[in-house]
Amino acid sequence: MNASINNGITFEETNNFLKWGKFINPLFRKLNGTKENLGDRTVYNWGRHTILNGLELELTNSFWNFGKERWFRRFNQIEYLAIGDTIANEEFNRISSHLIKLYGQPIVIEDDIDEREKYLIWKNDKIEFSLYFFEQHCYKLHFTIKKK
């Protein structure tokens, strides 16, 4: 895996670098994203960016508004969510193909025979890429890059 991903995420079109482990609010203010309080959680929307050698996604972070996460919000993962039958399926294929080109076959592959749930994971010593396709009222896709 790319050594720089072990240190953080680069938004390729602006060359802005988000270092893993930093407090989220200073990083977020620097990059002018939007923040939405949804009662039980706060969602930080970074906007649409290109990461991982050309993968363009609308990126977010979510934190619970209670317990330790309410006060200590560190940037240790970044997420993408696609909701809707067609878009979730298309995005699963697009993202999984991109990650296979970059990092090879996933380490963990779990999928239901009827294709309603698929789970792919790529891991290295410090980073985990998780791609989860599932049905919850409609098909959804959750992609996470997480510092372990």
Side-chain angles (χ1 to χ4, degrees):
M1 298 218 176
N2 186 335
S4 66
I5 193 71
N6 286 325
N7 299 317
I9 292 285
T10 300
F11 293 161
E12 294 166 357
E13 73 285 349
T14 60
N15 211 30
N16 285 321
F17 182 72
L18 285 71
K19 185 169 177 58
W20 299 125
K22 295 291 183 184
F23 284 106
I24 193 123
N25 284 320
L27 283 175
F28 196 72
R29 281 192 296 269
K30 180 177 135 184
L31 297 178
N32 296 322
T34 60
K35 184 164 80 169
E36 187 176 9
N37 187 333
L38 300 175
D40 65 344
R41 68 191 180 284
T42 299
V43 176
Y44 294 78
N45 188 322
W46 298 98
R48 194 157 191 84
H49 294 284
T50 304
I51 60 172
L52 303 174
N53 298 322
L55 187 60
E56 189 176 332
L57 301 167
E58 184 80 22
L59 298 164
T60 63
N61 280 99
S62 296
F63 292 92
W64 295 111
N65 288 334
F66 51 85
K68 193 167 100 172
E69 267 197 10
R70 179 182 180 130
W71 307 110
F72 298 104
R73 294 182 173 177
R74 292 192 180 269
F75 179 73
N76 285 317
Q77 75 176 35
I78 198 159
E79 305 166 83
Y80 167 70
L81 183 65
I83 300 172
D85 293 349
T86 302
I87 190 74
N89 195 45
E90 289 172 354
E91 290 294 272
F92 178 86
N93 292 332
R94 181 176 76 97
I95 295 168
S96 62
S97 294
H98 188 85
L99 292 174
I100 288 169
K101 283 179 193 168
L102 286 179
Y103 303 119
Q105 290 298 317
I107 293 170
V108 175
I109 301 173
E110 296 179 22
D111 57 334
D112 197 332
I113 292 171
D114 64 9
E115 298 270 327
R116 289 187 299 184
E117 191 168 2
K118 303 176 202 173
Y119 191 43
L120 306 178
I121 297 175
W122 291 259
K123 292 182 180 182
N124 77 357
D125 57 332
K126 295 183 181 178
I127 303 299
E128 179 177 288
F129 298 92
S130 167
L131 191 59
Y132 182 41
F133 176 88
F134 60 101
E135 185 178 23
Q136 184 185 51
H137 308 293
C138 66
Y139 286 120
K140 297 179 182 179
L141 176 72
H142 187 221
F143 175 50
T144 305
I145 303 169
K146 184 176 185 176
K147 170 95 163 107
K148 296 190 270 176

